[in-house]
Amino acid sequence: MTASKNILVLHGPNLNLLGVREPEHYGLATLDAIGQRLAARAKAAGVALASFQSNVEGDLVNRIQQAQREGVDFIIINPAAFTHTSIAMRDALAAVKIPFIEVHLSNVFAREEFRHRSYFSDLAIGTISGLGSKGYELALEYALGAGHGSA
């Protein structure tokens, strides 16, 4: 796999509330602050980066399908609550065949039992869970080429 040149970051439901929603699980970083850090790193690497957040499953499915038409090379996705429920998003990711990393701010395995099941992990190149907003940055570094081939 070569370094990605066109990266899409997808954020699922309620992530627009980061910084105020359950900071004991999700931290104090806002979605805007996370996006600014990712955009700055991508710009420094000369890579196009787009971000999209929605509380609506269908909007996320549409954005995944649109990514294929746009020639997106890599997706970083935090499906949030849709992790445990969205076969539609899973099917969209499987259909477009764009490599992706699944990111979760909290350690889903240290939380409620229902959070332990993901509809995405078996399709993902990798999953980052429990490292807060740093997880997005680590996923971006992989997408930029730093992590390719190191597994």
PDB file of all heavy atoms in Angstrom, residues 16-30:
ATOM      1  N   ASN A  16     -20.462  15.501  17.570  1.00  0.00           N
ATOM      2  CA  ASN A  16     -20.544  16.958  17.546  1.00  0.00           C
ATOM      3  C   ASN A  16     -20.605  17.535  18.960  1.00  0.00           C
ATOM      4  O   ASN A  16     -20.375  18.726  19.151  1.00  0.00           O
ATOM      5  CB  ASN A  16     -21.749  17.427  16.724  1.00  0.00           C
ATOM      6  CG  ASN A  16     -23.057  16.838  17.217  1.00  0.00           C
ATOM      7  OD1 ASN A  16     -23.192  15.621  17.340  1.00  0.00           O
ATOM      8  ND2 ASN A  16     -24.024  17.688  17.489  1.00  0.00           N
ATOM      9  N   LEU A  17     -20.870  16.695  19.950  1.00  0.00           N
ATOM     10  CA  LEU A  17     -20.954  17.143  21.349  1.00  0.00           C
ATOM     11  C   LEU A  17     -19.652  16.938  22.120  1.00  0.00           C
ATOM     12  O   LEU A  17     -19.619  17.142  23.337  1.00  0.00           O
ATOM     13  CB  LEU A  17     -22.086  16.397  22.064  1.00  0.00           C
ATOM     14  CG  LEU A  17     -23.488  16.600  21.488  1.00  0.00           C
ATOM     15  CD1 LEU A  17     -24.498  15.731  22.231  1.00  0.00           C
ATOM     16  CD2 LEU A  17     -23.888  18.069  21.534  1.00  0.00           C
ATOM     17  N   LEU A  18     -18.600  16.536  21.417  1.00  0.00           N
ATOM     18  CA  LEU A  18     -17.324  16.319  22.117  1.00  0.00           C
ATOM     19  C   LEU A  18     -16.891  17.590  22.836  1.00  0.00           C
ATOM     20  O   LEU A  18     -17.096  18.690  22.353  1.00  0.00           O
ATOM     21  CB  LEU A  18     -16.237  15.884  21.133  1.00  0.00           C
ATOM     22  CG  LEU A  18     -16.357  14.471  20.610  1.00  0.00           C
ATOM     23  CD1 LEU A  18     -15.234  14.171  19.620  1.00  0.00           C
ATOM     24  CD2 LEU A  18     -16.348  13.450  21.742  1.00  0.00           C
ATOM     25  N   GLY A  19     -16.276  17.386  23.966  1.00  0.00           N
ATOM     26  CA  GLY A  19     -15.839  18.499  24.798  1.00  0.00           C
ATOM     27  C   GLY A  19     -16.798  18.780  25.940  1.00  0.00           C
ATOM     28  O   GLY A  19     -16.401  19.301  26.971  1.00  0.00           O
ATOM     29  N   VAL A  20     -18.069  18.423  25.740  1.00  0.00           N
ATOM     30  CA  VAL A  20     -19.065  18.612  26.794  1.00  0.00           C
ATOM     31  C   VAL A  20     -19.765  17.301  27.156  1.00  0.00           C
ATOM     32  O   VAL A  20     -20.280  17.161  28.260  1.00  0.00           O
ATOM     33  CB  VAL A  20     -20.133  19.673  26.422  1.00  0.00           C
ATOM     34  CG1 VAL A  20     -19.492  21.041  26.267  1.00  0.00           C
ATOM     35  CG2 VAL A  20     -20.888  19.304  25.158  1.00  0.00           C
ATOM     36  N   ARG A  21     -19.782  16.358  26.244  1.00  0.00           N
ATOM     37  CA  ARG A  21     -20.489  15.085  26.471  1.00  0.00           C
ATOM     38  C   ARG A  21     -19.587  14.097  27.188  1.00  0.00           C
ATOM     39  O   ARG A  21     -18.539  13.698  26.675  1.00  0.00           O
ATOM     40  CB  ARG A  21     -20.912  14.488  25.125  1.00  0.00           C
ATOM     41  CG  ARG A  21     -21.563  13.131  25.269  1.00  0.00           C
ATOM     42  CD  ARG A  21     -21.835  12.510  23.909  1.00  0.00           C
ATOM     43  NE  ARG A  21     -22.348  11.172  24.103  1.00  0.00           N
ATOM     44  CZ  ARG A  21     -21.990  10.132  23.376  1.00  0.00           C
ATOM     45  NH1 ARG A  21     -21.147  10.270  22.397  1.00  0.00           N
ATOM     46  NH2 ARG A  21     -22.496   8.949  23.630  1.00  0.00           N
ATOM     47  N   GLU A  22     -19.978  13.686  28.366  1.00  0.00           N
ATOM     48  CA  GLU A  22     -19.280  12.655  29.129  1.00  0.00           C
ATOM     49  C   GLU A  22     -17.748  12.722  28.989  1.00  0.00           C
ATOM     50  O   GLU A  22     -17.122  11.804  28.488  1.00  0.00           O
ATOM     51  CB  GLU A  22     -19.769  11.266  28.701  1.00  0.00           C
ATOM     52  CG  GLU A  22     -21.249  11.037  28.920  1.00  0.00           C
ATOM     53  CD  GLU A  22     -21.699   9.679  28.438  1.00  0.00           C
ATOM     54  OE1 GLU A  22     -22.027   9.568  27.233  1.00  0.00           O
ATOM     55  OE2 GLU A  22     -21.701   8.739  29.258  1.00  0.00           O
ATOM     56  N   PRO A  23     -17.155  13.810  29.460  1.00  0.00           N
ATOM     57  CA  PRO A  23     -15.703  13.958  29.296  1.00  0.00           C
ATOM     58  C   PRO A  23     -14.896  12.849  29.972  1.00  0.00           C
ATOM     59  O   PRO A  23     -13.761  12.578  29.570  1.00  0.00           O
ATOM     60  CB  PRO A  23     -15.403  15.333  29.909  1.00  0.00           C
ATOM     61  CG  PRO A  23     -16.590  15.656  30.745  1.00  0.00           C
ATOM     62  CD  PRO A  23     -17.756  14.933  30.146  1.00  0.00           C
ATOM     63  N   GLU A  24     -15.490  12.169  30.949  1.00  0.00           N
ATOM     64  CA  GLU A  24     -14.785  11.051  31.585  1.00  0.00           C
ATOM     65  C   GLU A  24     -14.567   9.894  30.604  1.00  0.00           C
ATOM     66  O   GLU A  24     -13.645   9.095  30.776  1.00  0.00           O
ATOM     67  CB  GLU A  24     -15.532  10.564  32.835  1.00  0.00           C
ATOM     68  CG  GLU A  24     -16.875   9.906  32.574  1.00  0.00           C
ATOM     69  CD  GLU A  24     -18.060  10.858  32.395  1.00  0.00           C
ATOM     70  OE1 GLU A  24     -17.868  12.082  32.283  1.00  0.00           O
ATOM     71  OE2 GLU A  24     -19.202  10.350  32.372  1.00  0.00           O
ATOM     72  N   HIS A  25     -15.378   9.819  29.563  1.00  0.00           N
ATOM     73  CA  HIS A  25     -15.207   8.792  28.533  1.00  0.00           C
ATOM     74  C   HIS A  25     -14.542   9.334  27.281  1.00  0.00           C
ATOM     75  O   HIS A  25     -13.751   8.646  26.646  1.00  0.00           O
ATOM     76  CB  HIS A  25     -16.558   8.182  28.126  1.00  0.00           C
ATOM     77  CG  HIS A  25     -17.182   7.340  29.171  1.00  0.00           C
ATOM     78  ND1 HIS A  25     -16.595   6.200  29.664  1.00  0.00           N
ATOM     79  CD2 HIS A  25     -18.365   7.482  29.825  1.00  0.00           C
ATOM     80  CE1 HIS A  25     -17.391   5.664  30.576  1.00  0.00           C
ATOM     81  NE2 HIS A  25     -18.459   6.421  30.701  1.00  0.00           N
ATOM     82  N   TYR A  26     -14.904  10.565  26.903  1.00  0.00           N
ATOM     83  CA  TYR A  26     -14.524  11.074  25.589  1.00  0.00           C
ATOM     84  C   TYR A  26     -13.512  12.211  25.621  1.00  0.00           C
ATOM     85  O   TYR A  26     -13.087  12.669  24.564  1.00  0.00           O
ATOM     86  CB  TYR A  26     -15.789  11.508  24.832  1.00  0.00           C
ATOM     87  CG  TYR A  26     -16.799  10.393  24.728  1.00  0.00           C
ATOM     88  CD1 TYR A  26     -18.023  10.460  25.397  1.00  0.00           C
ATOM     89  CD2 TYR A  26     -16.517   9.244  23.994  1.00  0.00           C
ATOM     90  CE1 TYR A  26     -18.944   9.430  25.310  1.00  0.00           C
ATOM     91  CE2 TYR A  26     -17.438   8.203  23.917  1.00  0.00           C
ATOM     92  CZ  TYR A  26     -18.642   8.303  24.579  1.00  0.00           C
ATOM     93  OH  TYR A  26     -19.546   7.281  24.504  1.00  0.00           O
ATOM     94  N   GLY A  27     -13.149  12.679  26.797  1.00  0.00           N
ATOM     95  CA  GLY A  27     -12.163  13.746  26.898  1.00  0.00           C
ATOM     96  C   GLY A  27     -12.769  15.123  26.719  1.00  0.00           C
ATOM     97  O   GLY A  27     -13.983  15.278  26.559  1.00  0.00           O
ATOM     98  N   LEU A  28     -11.912  16.117  26.722  1.00  0.00           N
ATOM     99  CA  LEU A  28     -12.353  17.508  26.630  1.00  0.00           C
ATOM    100  C   LEU A  28     -12.136  18.116  25.251  1.00  0.00           C
ATOM    101  O   LEU A  28     -12.591  19.226  24.992  1.00  0.00           O
ATOM    102  CB  LEU A  28     -11.626  18.352  27.683  1.00  0.00           C
ATOM    103  CG  LEU A  28     -11.969  17.992  29.143  1.00  0.00           C
ATOM    104  CD1 LEU A  28     -11.066  18.750  30.106  1.00  0.00           C
ATOM    105  CD2 LEU A  28     -13.441  18.290  29.422  1.00  0.00           C
ATOM    106  N   ALA A  29     -11.440  17.418  24.373  1.00  0.00           N
ATOM    107  CA  ALA A  29     -11.194  17.947  23.028  1.00  0.00           C
ATOM    108  C   ALA A  29     -12.505  18.031  22.260  1.00  0.00           C
ATOM    109  O   ALA A  29     -13.307  17.100  22.275  1.00  0.00           O
ATOM    110  CB  ALA A  29     -10.207  17.060  22.279  1.00  0.00           C
ATOM    111  N   THR A  30     -12.715  19.145  21.583  1.00  0.00           N
ATOM    112  CA  THR A  30     -13.898  19.299  20.746  1.00  0.00           C
ATOM    113  C   THR A  30     -13.639  18.681  19.379  1.00  0.00           C
ATOM    114  O   THR A  30     -12.486  18.474  18.978  1.00  0.00           O
ATOM    115  CB  THR A  30     -14.258  20.780  20.566  1.00  0.00           C
ATOM    116  OG1 THR A  30     -13.188  21.412  19.858  1.00  0.00           O
ATOM    117  CG2 THR A  30     -14.497  21.474  21.909  1.00  0.00           C
TER     118      THR A  30
END
